[in-house]
């Protein structure tokens, strides 16, 4: 059989020039999958539609974290207990830090629980895009799910670790106040604050990997300028207004007040709520701006 490439009466074929034109790809992609430029680019509806992926990533994070460990999930309980023991010996016994009529081990544990959740959530969310780069570069899904899953895993840890403080309250015979119900909205406020910090840090960390290196150090310093190991009343009154600009003051102070009763620090709580709201808006816009090119830069 003979095949011709001419245009004669009996010839059937395609000119080489036309074949080259057919094979040539366009310089710009015909379809670009990515976020829109409107506020809905956060894809909250799409995140809800793909909530099963969020649950899967939370479960995967928990399994990977405690895989091949002898104690497994017991580390969620052991970590705050060991830190409470160390701080009780050096600060409660030796330095005699006041604890506002609450046994110091219980006082410091009530500060460590929200702090451990917040610090772990911020670090996990801030580095989540980099640690999940293999997933982000292969398939499209709302990128907001990745830092949200990192925070969700830490929230599960917090719920497990909360059983410790219940047991210690029974041990020290501290009766819970009616305000114990306010723990739930305070934890939600801490979660929103962690989400705002995590989104902003995750967006910046995509381009500047210094964030991942400096973040643990910054978080450690943040603990000492927050009332985790000492009461806010130790801060001089002249400096207390500036001190309460730290959004964690409103979380930790009022978390203790909800557990043990006493006066709530409403001024610090208002500052925390305002900072959280502003931070969520700013971090959402920054995350949206970076989201389009994450797969190319990461």
């Amino acid at each position: 059989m003979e095949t011709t490439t001419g245009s004669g009466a009996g010839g059937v074929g395609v000119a080489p020039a036309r074949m080259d034109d057919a094979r040539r790809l366009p310089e710009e992609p015909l379809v670009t999958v990515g976020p829109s430029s409107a506020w809905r680019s956060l894809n909250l509806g799409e995140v809800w539609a793909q909530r099963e992926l969020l649950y899967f990533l939370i479960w995967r994070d928990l399994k990977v974290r405690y895989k091949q460990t002898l104690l497994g999930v017991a580390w969620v309980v052991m970590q705050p207990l060991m830190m409470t023991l160390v701080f009780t010996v050096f600060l409660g016994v030796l330095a005699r830090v006041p604890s506002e009529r609450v046994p110091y081990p219980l006082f410091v544990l009530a500060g460590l629980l929200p702090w451990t959740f917040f610090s772990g959530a911020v670090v996990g969310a801030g580095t989540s895009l980099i640690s999940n780069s293999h997933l982000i570069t292969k398939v499209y899904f709302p990128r907001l799910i990745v830092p949200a899953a990192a925070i969700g895993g830490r929230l599960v840890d917090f719920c497990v670790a909360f059983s410790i403080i219940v047991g210690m309250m029974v041990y020290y015979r501290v009766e819970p106040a009616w305000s114990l119900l306010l723990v739930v909205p305070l934890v939600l406020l801490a979660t929103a604050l962690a989400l705002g910090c995590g989104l902003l840090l995750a967006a910046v960390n995509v381009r500047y990997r210094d964030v991942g290196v400096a973040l643990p150090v910054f978080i450690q310093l943040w603990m000492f300028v927050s009332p985790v190991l000492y009461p806010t009343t130790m801060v001089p009154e002249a400096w207390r207004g500036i001190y309460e600009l730290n959004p964690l003051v409103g979380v930790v102070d009022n978390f203790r007040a909800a557990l043990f009763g006493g006066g709530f620090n409403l001024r610090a709580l208002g500052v925390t709520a305002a900072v959280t709201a502003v931070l969520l808006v700013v971090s959402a816009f920054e995350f949206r701006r970076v989201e389009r090119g994450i797969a190319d830069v990461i």
Side-chain angles (χ1 to χ4, degrees), residues 5 7 36 45 49 67 74-76 100 119 125 141 159 166 172 201-202 213 249 259 263:
T5 58
S7 58
S36 63
K67 184 179 181 181
W75 281 111
V76 177
E100 298 181 336
S119 60
F141 58 92
C159 294
V166 175
Y172 284 105
L201 291 171
V213 178
V249 174
L259 287 176

Side-chain angles (χ1 to χ4, degrees), residues 6-222:
S7 58
V12 178
V14 180
R18 294 182 180 179
M19 292 180 64
D20 292 341
D21 292 339
R23 294 174 181 174
R24 186 179 297 120
L25 296 176
E27 296 181 359
E28 297 292 335
L30 299 178
V31 178
T32 301
V33 179
S36 63
S37 58
W39 174 252
R40 64 177 181 274
S41 64
L42 287 179
N43 293 326
L44 296 181
E46 191 174 355
V47 171
W48 175 251
Q50 299 191 27
R51 58 190 179 275
E52 292 184 1
L53 176 60
L54 176 63
Y55 302 152
F56 170 78
L57 291 179
I58 293 175
W59 177 245
R60 185 204 63 173
D61 179 62
L62 293 172
K63 289 183 64 177
V64 170
R65 195 184 312 155
Y66 303 112
K67 184 179 181 181
Q68 295 182 337
T69 58
L70 293 177
L71 297 180
V73 74
W75 281 111
V76 177
V77 177
M78 294 294 294
Q79 181 181 359
L81 279 179
M82 290 188 293
M83 294 178 67
T84 299
L85 177 61
V86 171
F87 290 130
T88 298
V89 171
F90 287 96
L91 298 180
V93 177
L94 299 181
R96 298 188 180 277
V97 175
S99 56
E100 298 181 336
R101 300 184 303 277
V102 177
Y104 188 78
L106 192 56
F107 174 86
V108 72
L109 181 61
L112 284 174
L113 282 185
W115 165 254
T116 303
F117 159 66
F118 175 80
S119 60
V122 170
V123 172
T127 58
S128 60
L129 295 180
I130 302 299
S131 59
N132 288 276
S133 58
H134 61 285
L135 182 62
I136 293 175
T137 55
K138 291 180 179 179
V139 62
Y140 172 75
F141 58 92
R143 310 309 189 193
L144 182 62
I145 288 180
V146 177
I151 296 175
R154 296 295 179 175
L155 189 58
V156 174
D157 289 347
F158 173 83
C159 294
V160 175
F162 190 78
S163 60
I164 311 173
I165 204 165
V166 175
M168 289 191 67
M169 289 177 68
V170 173
Y171 177 79
Y172 284 105
R173 298 179 181 180
V174 176
E175 295 184 1
W178 64 268
S179 55
L180 182 64
L181 298 176
L182 298 178
V183 165
V184 175
L186 286 171
V187 172
L188 292 178
L189 179 61
T191 304
L193 180 62
L195 180 61
C197 294
L199 285 180
L200 184 60
L201 291 171
V204 177
N205 193 33
V206 169
R207 294 187 178 274
Y208 305 102
R209 304 300 171 87
D210 308 76
V211 173
V213 178
L215 185 55
V217 179
F218 176 76
I219 287 292
Q220 193 68 30
L221 294 175
W222 199 349

